[in-house]
């Protein structure tokens, strides 16, 4: 049975219900997910603060791929497949480091930081080094975030996809932000379960006490899964408070706006700004700052921004720090979940334990939840279940996913 | 190739020989075993002593399934698939515990101990909780043993299958027995190798010194693999002794009888009662009691009962304790082997180390033996081998297994 | 898709390039490799010094097979599949030992050291022990090396394959050599990557400082991957030195000659003799002896012999010790790499750490290199890469491999 047949044979999905079991555990569908979706979207591989000096590199691992992301000069970051053009060996074997050249440890083929093959001993006379540079991976740096795209040919237009995010990213100063902390939460679940978990807040109250303590309950219900994602009465109740905050925040310099991509979009972006708990100035245990104000803020404004670049990459930003979430498929039931805490480029003496308290605990909870979700779905008695009114964003994600899968991505 | 074709392509099995290699390691045949056999038989999941109070539960794991077995009131035990009707998460994640409700830790959908969905926040108006109770698993409590049946529709008739065991189980007082000890011996082998090992005693003398020390050698030869399973001359020699014991035992209240299901039966039951070693009153190292007399015994009678409910569940009972054996397929080459030692409900001060001495050592030996059997069968030079006269019960098991596999179980 | 179709669908391989990805990771191709190549060649399982006394045995594991290699008397070594003819259990479960009989621990079927079934209790009257001896594996002892061949029918003619190696093996005294040390380097890579690594020295300079320190750089370039395998100018430069050495060595009793099988050969043998570093008498860190002269040498001659019996078995011999390399496929991406250091049968007081210094470090380096090669090849961007002039032997190996694979071996 071909992979296309595998898809065609699926029962049509009833709107308002979770996906059939195969989508969460079948190896063939996972291969399609990698080829058609993860392999064609712009995905954040890291932040420029990981690559301060010329020759600094890190590896970004996605599926069976290892991508070398490397700074080749003060203004250029390149991305290459970590596969020597000679016999296919990995070139870089450490997760990160600093190099002058990219030299394969096997036969010493040596590439420049621009990927050009510089030396290869004893090759036949008709061998042309110019045909043997490293395979490039599309890369784009945008406000400090390093996006890669594994497409074989021309990738989706970057500026058309993300250009309008400019003022929001600029306001937070991400281009010059510093990394305060990084942590990994590898999760034994299909990447879609990780995403579905992240894009709804129906589970926040039962599962996330720390998270819930930092947010107004009514905001979680009304906006927890996207703008006006909650039931109408909850939205109606919270909306006036939100609008009042928007006026105050705009007065302090914050650009106000919302982006809420639908299923037909290329990256399913979401931009949502709302308030945190009354009296809180940061998403910390006691609501006080863990660092100094980020970016171009003229003062604290009780706000938080939630920005999804795509289902694979999300940002949450409060007054004094931001968290980058990377969800990277590695296998049919294995997903890398990596968090990066960012602070203002000029921040000094920030308090890392205070800053990570909320999302470290919340992500450990999500890891457990998501792994139990995967385990339960393996039962032959699992049947797609009905979504609540609070899971509209999950439905949108699924509609987007199925459309991408069937259309072949792009 | 479909799974049915996979079966059809097997070479016909020669009577008197072990099965072809594929039956012991092929994933497709294992899937059929789960669907057609393990998924349709009544299998003991545990004993009521594990569920003393309302809300007590334990998980029974078989194949990829997790079944919640829970006491909902003094007289009712329910079994549910451990799969939330919302998004499929596991509901219970600990092996056992006590709960008031079955509440999913993900989105807090909450079910009663009868499986009814009691609360689910923020659901659409047309959502009916009554359609969203937990998926039930057939369950039946019989003399303290909790049987489950994973059949999709009506299961095999329980009473027709096991009703005639009533007097034997009653005699041992299993309904009110207490658990003295439990132990797990997970085994890296196909479940059929575990069963084949257990239903013959051809290997007892070479492999089980402790076991053999507690039994008359002639009984092991004559009856080790079922009533009159040994060679005719051995049966002739032991039969008079057995008949004399039956008279003595009947006088002390023991119901005498034999059940020896053939390949055409639904559960391949076996009931066999015989003597232990002369001078021994219990299956212990020195033959003395490890606990008080079980059930309705009026005195010790040197007897032991071996009762197979099915190839998946077996009981061995001596005067003062009994052992429940559970063989549960988990993967093509992975089987859970779990032993539970039971004593009389009124027993006090029983000696656990003394009681477990025999079967703990014997089961560790069987684990090693069976894993070596699996490893050898992986060779492409493995060919089905000839059975001894002492392995008739293995032949019967195989005939039963092949009939069940081909007929689709039921 | 059948395995034959799997092969047929591969794109034709361009000469001078590494193989397509599938050859290094596809399970179906690996099954063919085992059946058609590893299953039909004469492969060294060990050395007679492992079996000094009657009843001494060791297990040789290849693919899913376990072979018992056992000395049955002073002049006979047998090889049997480690599969009991009764129910298929492994008979020997320790890697090596000494036994009087081969007795299965399961049901005590007992075989002589010649494989004959000696006892099996309680078998039916028409059971004939003579039909139930252990399955034999072809075995041949040649100058101390124990070769096995897993072919179902008649194996390739041994003497026609290896007879001409006689004088070279005799010169080194391998028939009476002693084992000084053994070490295992299990490698997470396809066996062909292990072989390709071993048959070229293009990587020696960058990857193997210890190895390179013991050899003349010009010899590595000119002869590192086989006789005259290097670029013509390098060969021209080294050849006069080699010829001068051949004269000196012949005068000290060494048989001079070269074997360089091509792709159409049955075992792709290679015999190459050349010099080590000037001033060195042994392949040790300081060039001094680690043991006494091996075999029939009349004096040290600065030479080293590299002898491939097949891609699976190689020998490297210097004046005072030799190393046996066994590359044994165990899975599609798993290969056992086992090294055995041999010294003269009369050697006393040899220095093991000194002797193993070079190849232990070099093999650890090769393990890492080869595993990184495998990891890189998993990328969908891996493309067959161009070979250098120094990798001609890899090309020959591949041509041999593809011919064997397509022709069905033999």
């Amino acid at each position: 049975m071909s992979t296309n047949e595998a898809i065609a044979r699926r029962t049509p999905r009833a709107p308002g219900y979770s996906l059939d079991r195969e989508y969460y555990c079948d190896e063939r569908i996972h291969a399609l997910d990698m080829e058609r979706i993860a392999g064609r979207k712009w995905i954040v591989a890291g932040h420029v603060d990981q690559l301060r000096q010329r020759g600094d590199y890190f590896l970004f691992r996605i599926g069976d791929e290892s991508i070398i992301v490397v700074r080749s000069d003060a203004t250029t970051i390149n991305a290459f497949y970590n596969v020597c053009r000679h016999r296919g060996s990995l070139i870089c074997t450490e997760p990160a480091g600093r190099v002058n050249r990219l030299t394969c440890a096997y036969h010493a083929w040596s590439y420049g930081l621009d990927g050009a093959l510089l030396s290869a001993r004893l090759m036949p006379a008709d061998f042309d080094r110019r045909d043997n540079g490293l395979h490039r991976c599309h890369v784009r740096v945008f406000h400090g975030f390093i996006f890669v795209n594994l497409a074989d040919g021309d990738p989706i237009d970057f500026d058309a996809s993300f250009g309008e995010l400019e003022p929001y990213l600029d306001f937070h100063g991400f281009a010059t932000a510093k990394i305060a902390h990084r942590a990994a939460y590898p999760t034994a679940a299909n990447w879609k379960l990780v995403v579905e978990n992240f894009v709804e807040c129906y589970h926040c109250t039962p599962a996330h006490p720390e998270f819930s303590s930092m947010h107004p309950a009514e905001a979680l219900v009304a906006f927890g899964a996207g703008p006006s994602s909650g039931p109408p009465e909850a939205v109606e109740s919270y909306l006036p408070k939100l609008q009042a905050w928007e006026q105050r925040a705009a007065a302090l310099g914050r650009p106000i706006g919302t982006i809420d991509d639908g299923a037909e979009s290329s990256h399913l972006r979401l931009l949502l700004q709302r308030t945190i708990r009354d009296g809180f100035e940061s998403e910390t245990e006691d609501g006080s700052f863990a660092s100094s104000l980020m970016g171009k803020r003229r003062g604290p404004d009780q706000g938080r921004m939630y920005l999804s670049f795509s289902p694979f990459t999300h940002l949450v930003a409060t007054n004094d720090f931001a968290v980058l979430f990377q969800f990277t498929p590695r296998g049919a039931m294995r997903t890398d979940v990596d968090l990066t805490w960012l602070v203002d480029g000029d921040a000094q003496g920030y308090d890392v334990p205070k800053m990570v308290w909320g999302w470290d605990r919340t992500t450990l909870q999500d890891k457990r939840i998501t792994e139990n979700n995967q385990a339960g779905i393996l039962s032959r008695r699992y049947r797609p279940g009905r979504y609540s009114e609070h899971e509209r964003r999950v439905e949108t994600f699924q509609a987007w996913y199925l459309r991408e899968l069937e259309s072949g991505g792009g």
Side-chain angles (χ1 to χ4, degrees), chain A residues 14-30:
Chain A
Y17 286 81
S18 57
L19 291 170
D20 282 340
R21 178 171 51 172
E22 288 79 359
Y23 288 98
Y24 298 118
C25 53
D26 188 290
E27 293 286 348
R28 291 168 309 182
I29 292 182
H30 180 67

Side-chain angles (χ1 to χ4, degrees), chain A residues 15-18 199-204 220-221 225 229-232 385-396:
Chain A
Y17 286 81
S18 57
V199 303
E200 53 93 353
C201 212
Y202 186 40
H203 71 281
C204 292
L220 295 188
V221 172
S229 59
R386 188 74 182 271
Y387 287 128
S388 71
E389 295 176 350
H390 215 169
E391 292 166 287
R392 287 188 200 156
R393 192 74 189 165
V394 182
E395 289 188 61
T396 309

Side-chain angles (χ1 to χ4, degrees), chain A residues 108-404:
Chain A
W109 281 31
S110 188
Y111 305 85
L113 299 178
D114 61 353
L117 178 58
L118 299 179
S119 66
R121 298 167 299 136
L122 295 167
M123 293 304 292
D126 66 339
F127 175 79
D128 192 338
R129 283 191 206 144
R130 288 169 297 183
D131 299 335
N132 283 274
L134 291 176
H135 289 293
R136 280 186 174 276
C137 179
H138 306 286
V139 64
R140 177 72 182 263
V141 179
F142 186 61
H143 287 271
F145 297 107
I146 304 166
F147 289 76
V148 297
N149 187 310
L150 279 67
D152 286 331
D154 287 341
I156 306 170
D157 186 270
F158 187 91
D159 295 306
S161 301
F162 301 109
E164 66 180 303
L165 300 177
E166 181 100 35
Y168 307 99
L169 297 167
D170 184 58
F171 174 68
H172 290 85
F174 287 122
T176 55
K178 291 192 299 196
I179 293 173
H181 187 65
R182 306 191 79 215
Y185 308 84
T187 298
N190 185 275
W191 69 277
K192 294 185 291 292
L193 291 174
V194 173
V195 173
E196 289 171 13
N197 171 264
F198 197 74
V199 303
E200 53 93 353
C201 212
Y202 186 40
H203 71 281
C204 292
T205 310
H208 296 316
E210 295 85 359
F211 179 87
S212 299
S213 75
M214 302 184 289
H215 297 274
E218 58 190 357
L220 295 188
V221 172
F223 278 63
S228 305
S229 59
E233 57 279 15
V235 174
E236 256 174 72
S237 153
Y238 179 62
L239 218 46
K241 293 175 192 172
L242 179 64
Q243 285 160 348
W245 169 79
E246 285 178 347
Q247 289 194 334
R248 296 198 310 274
L252 287 163
R254 182 189 285 265
I256 300 298
T258 292
I259 295 172
D260 186 10
D261 279 355
E264 71 298 336
S265 65
S266 74
H267 281 84
L268 197 69
R269 302 162 313 158
L270 179 70
L271 171 68
L272 170 64
Q273 298 183 101
R274 62 165 177 82
T275 56
I276 57 173
R277 179 172 160 183
D278 280 350
F280 273 46
E281 295 198 319
S282 180
E283 295 190 49
T284 56
E285 186 166 12
D286 66 1
S288 68
F289 286 140
S291 185
S292 51
L293 285 181
M294 274 195 93
K296 303 191 170 171
R297 281 170 172 79
R298 295 203 296 265
D301 67 4
Q302 202 207 341
R304 61 114 69 177
M305 178 182 77
Y306 168 36
L307 170 58
S308 287
F309 290 110
S310 77
F312 302 103
T313 318
H314 312 260
L315 265 178
V316 168
T318 186
N319 280 311
D320 55 333
F321 66 91
V323 189
L324 170 71
F325 298 79
Q326 295 171 273
F327 302 150
T328 315
R330 297 296 304 278
M333 294 189 271
R334 190 159 66 94
T335 304
D336 279 350
V337 172
D338 295 289
L339 270 62
T340 304
W341 282 260
L342 293 161
V343 295
D344 191 74
D346 294 326
Q348 300 292 337
Y350 41 86
D351 184 336
V352 170
K354 185 175 180 177
M355 188 184 308
V356 306
W357 171 83
W359 275 112
D360 178 63
R361 296 193 182 199
T362 300
T363 306
L364 286 170
Q365 291 153 1
D366 277 336
K367 170 180 161 66
R368 188 177 45 76
I369 284 169
T370 309
E371 291 178 343
N372 286 334
N373 196 5
Q374 178 76 63
I377 286 175
L378 294 180
S379 167
R380 71 192 176 98
R381 281 297 173 95
Y382 163 78
R383 295 288 180 283
R386 188 74 182 271
Y387 287 128
S388 71
E389 295 176 350
H390 215 169
E391 292 166 287
R392 287 188 200 156
R393 192 74 189 165
V394 182
E395 289 188 61
T396 309
F397 165 65
Q398 289 193 358
W400 175 86
Y401 164 75
L402 290 170
R403 189 190 53 71
E404 291 280 340

